[in-house]
Amino acid sequence: MTEVPRSHPRYESLKTRERLVEGVESGITSKAGLIAHGRGEAFDYLLGEKTIPAAERAERYALGVLKKAENPVISINGNVAALVPDEIVNLGEYLSAKLEVNLFHRTEERLKKIEEKLRENGAEDVLGLEADAEIPGLDHDRALCSKKGIYSADVVLVPLEDGDRTKALKEMGKTVVTIDLNPLSRTAKTADVTIVDNVTRAVPNMIDMEPLKEEFDNEKNLSEVLDYMGERLKGLTKNKITEEDMDGR
Ligand code: PTJ
């Protein structure tokens, strides 16, 4: 693979892409994961590739919800395992949450590779390989889950999720927290707490934060994100662009 020089203005973004390409090459990430990432990048660009105040608030609120949960579970797919393997294991430990691999493009081989990756990064117990339960109302492989994990969880953290499963999990009575750069996605609109931030920032952020004490309204928070993106675009079209904004180029 071409070496990205540190001086490159898009260094971080290119390194992130490389991690996903390596994820595909090593059998962790699905090819569709690359496309999903591209969509995420476009929205991240609109945020200026940083954690905006509305995202920070959602992260702090999510942290409180996860900390108070009785059986919190973090759902892990091929993008999360490639991008933040170490950080997601740390977050799981910090929250005393279980880790469960749950894949849209599910194969035995990918499940095993992801489990291995998480173990290499310190995970002791990884659920999801032996699916012994099903989320009702889903007719794809994401329904397959673990009875002591997602199936019985009260709060589930689902980064980079698809809308169907979020809805199905909510219908099971669970509280759903998602990390999704697209504030317009079905998941973003259906989840109880939507963190519109890159998983590469949101996951490490959450280990370092104080839970939010004030009230939180997900719909209002999402509107704030959209307003932020709109204002930023307006600023760009009027050439009111700052050095900081330019970092996103
Ligand atoms: O590993 P698998 O088989 O379970 O497949 C995982 C993917 C992500 C391919 C699958 O779940 C999928 O197709 O997801 P979607 O429906 O494309 O949704 C992914 C969402 O995550 C989109 O709304 C993207 O904007 C968003 N997204 C992409 N990259 C990031 C992101 N959100 C946060 N951080 C990212 N790095």
Side-chain angles (χ1 to χ4, degrees):
M1 202 175 292
T2 319
E3 191 58 39
V4 182
R6 266 210 169 268
S7 57
H8 194 289
R10 305 286 307 142
Y11 180 78
E12 284 304 327
S13 164
L14 294 176
K15 287 305 274 186
T16 306
R17 282 185 181 181
E18 259 185 24
R19 265 184 278 158
L20 280 174
V21 171
E22 279 162 17
V24 173
E25 283 167 354
S26 63
I28 285 176
T29 309
S30 67
K31 287 184 188 156
L34 298 177
I35 301 169
H37 183 74
R39 183 192 293 167
E41 275 188 343
F43 283 101
D44 206 10
Y45 193 89
L46 297 179
L47 293 174
E49 294 172 315
K50 62 182 183 212
T51 302
I52 67 167
E56 188 188 326
R57 200 175 318 122
E59 282 160 14
R60 292 180 54 208
Y61 185 70
L63 187 62
V65 170
L66 283 155
K67 275 191 155 181
K68 277 190 235 137
E70 270 176 33
N71 185 17
V73 176
I74 304 179
S75 177
I76 296 175
N77 65 20
N79 285 48
V80 172
L83 290 177
V84 282
D86 180 28
E87 297 86 341
I88 206 82
V89 171
N90 288 344
L91 184 65
E93 262 171 32
Y94 179 65
L95 296 169
S96 305
K98 293 173 185 152
L99 304 180
E100 177 163 342
V101 186
N102 180 279
L103 302 179
F104 188 73
H105 309 276
R106 184 183 173 100
T107 65
E108 284 303 312
E109 206 193 330
R110 285 188 66 219
L111 287 168
K112 286 207 188 91
K113 292 256 160 92
I114 293 173
E115 182 202 23
E116 236 169 69
K117 182 84 177 170
L118 296 172
R119 287 195 190 280
E120 273 167 25
N121 283 279
E124 281 177 13
D125 205 9
V126 180
L127 302 173
L129 275 82
E130 305 288 329
D132 56 2
E134 277 192 34
I135 301 166
L138 285 182
D139 57 8
H140 52 76
D141 281 350
R142 272 204 141 169
L144 301 172
C145 66
S146 156
K147 205 174 266 172
K148 64 174 182 173
I150 289 174
Y151 191 80
S152 57
D154 52 346
V155 182
V156 196
L157 172 62
V158 287
L160 280 79
E161 181 58 19
D162 71 274
D164 280 7
R165 193 170 69 128
T166 306
K167 187 164 164 274
L169 290 170
K170 289 265 299 174
E171 277 165 6
M172 286 177 86
K174 300 179 192 307
T175 300
V176 180
V177 178
T178 191
I179 304 171
D180 188 337
L181 279 162
N182 178 1
L184 301 166
S185 75
R186 278 181 310 142
T187 293
K189 289 196 239 167
T190 315
D192 297 281
V193 189
T194 305
I195 298 167
V196 183
D197 201 1
N198 201 315
V199 79
T200 57
R201 295 188 297 269
V203 174
N205 276 354
M206 283 169 76
I207 297 180
D208 259 349
M209 291 174 148
E210 279 294 309
L212 189 76
K213 295 209 174 65
E214 301 88 74
E215 285 190 10
F216 179 84
D217 179 328
N218 204 45
E219 219 172 298
K220 261 200 206 154
N221 207 59
L222 278 175
S223 301
E224 201 179 300
V225 172
L226 287 168
D227 285 345
Y228 185 98
M229 288 178 171
E231 285 304 315
R232 191 156 182 280
L233 275 175
K234 269 194 240 156
L236 293 169
T237 54
K238 287 180 188 153
N239 284 334
K240 284 195 297 189
I241 187 164
T242 65
E243 275 306 311
E244 207 184 31
D245 291 329
M246 299 282 276
D247 285 343
R249 279 223 283 204

